[in-house]
Amino acid sequence: MLVHGTPAGTETLREEIAAVLEPLGLRLSPAKTRIVHMSEGFGFPGFRLQWKRKAGTSKWHVCTFIADRPIRSLKAKIRALTNRTSQQDPRSVLIRLNQIMRGWANFFKHAVCKHTLGNPAHFAWWRVIRRLRTLHRWRWKDVRRAFTTPEGRWKPITAGGIELFNLEAVPVTRYRGSKIPSPWVPDHARRGRNRGEPGARRRARRVRRAA
């Protein structure tokens, strides 16, 4: 819950909410209910929301970041699938990795995460490369021969016609609060809140013509 007010007023509001929930058999969890300033940030399932000042300006925005826990969870799944001692064929490994990383990226791509996506992307690349080196008993020059062009540029990792999904290539489309209409504001209010707005001027002209 976001509150605009003083710390004391927020404490009072928390007590009032607790009093309303108590007759329903509910209570606020002390571990999950904290009062923090937006500049400190707070957690929301999978995300971290924090008030940040835009660099070089005096404007402040509420930014949504990916929390640390989902990144650790993704890395754990990648690590489990790319175990060097596993006998699973590389094609099946890439198919499952792609499914996990694509679903994860689609969920988090609306956060401020353009640079954050690079971390698990590099992690997945190195884990797959190490597994292939162990599986095929490759040396580093064998890796370069398999995954670089004659000009020395790296190619995507492929196995059995399956290409490793690149998390860094995911387009990040951040949510903009001003573009999300409030369900509590009537349509006519959104079209014109005062007589100076186009919708209000059109209604005024219709009234004058009717008179």
Side-chain angles (χ1 to χ4, degrees):
M1 177 185 292
L2 298 180
V3 178
H4 178 70
T6 63
T10 308
E11 288 280 2
T12 302
L13 180 60
R14 180 170 65 174
E15 294 173 4
E16 291 175 356
I17 294 173
V20 171
L21 294 177
E22 188 175 0
L24 303 175
L26 304 174
R27 63 183 180 85
L28 295 174
S29 169
K32 297 180 180 179
T33 307
R34 297 187 303 122
I35 296 177
V36 297
H37 193 269
M38 279 298 296
S39 60
E40 300 175 43
F42 63 93
F44 187 77
F47 296 93
R48 181 173 60 84
L49 281 70
Q50 190 171 7
W51 201 26
K52 289 280 190 178
R53 183 175 62 84
K54 186 177 181 181
T57 71
S58 59
K59 295 181 178 180
W60 289 76
H61 301 277
V62 177
C63 298
T64 305
F65 302 96
I66 303 176
D68 293 334
R69 186 174 179 179
I71 297 175
R72 291 197 303 267
S73 176
L74 175 62
K75 285 185 175 181
K77 292 177 181 178
I78 294 172
R79 190 179 292 110
L81 281 168
T82 54
N83 192 318
R84 299 189 207 189
T85 61
S86 172
Q87 297 302 311
Q88 194 171 8
D89 67 283
R91 185 177 187 276
S92 299
V93 170
L94 290 189
I95 289 174
R96 185 59 186 142
L97 274 177
N98 289 351
Q99 291 172 342
I100 292 172
M101 292 193 295
R102 185 174 286 109
W104 190 90
N106 285 335
F107 182 79
F108 288 106
K109 68 180 181 180
H110 299 296
V112 182
C113 62
K114 192 61 182 176
H115 298 292
T116 307
L117 293 176
N119 186 300
H122 294 163
F123 181 79
W125 191 91
W126 279 108
R127 290 290 303 184
V128 172
I129 286 293
R130 288 170 183 170
R131 185 175 186 275
L132 290 175
R133 289 187 66 183
T134 302
L135 184 66
H136 299 298
R137 298 183 180 179
W138 281 348
R139 289 177 292 179
W140 187 247
K141 68 177 184 179
D142 299 315
V143 174
R144 294 190 63 88
R145 186 183 300 114
F147 298 116
T148 60
T149 65
E151 294 79 22
R153 296 183 178 180
W154 285 98
K155 299 185 294 185
I157 297 177
T158 57
I162 302 298
E163 182 178 312
L164 178 65
F165 179 71
N166 183 10
L167 278 168
E168 287 188 293
V170 174
V172 176
T173 54
R174 292 175 57 189
Y175 284 127
R176 299 294 181 184
S178 60
K179 295 183 179 179
I180 304 176
S182 169
W184 310 112
V185 180
D187 289 340
H188 66 80
R190 284 199 293 267
R191 288 194 297 268
R193 293 178 182 272
N194 56 58
R195 295 181 63 84
E197 296 182 356
R201 288 199 296 268
R202 285 196 297 270
R203 288 195 297 275
R205 284 199 296 270
R206 286 199 295 268
V207 171
R208 284 197 295 270
R209 288 172 185 169

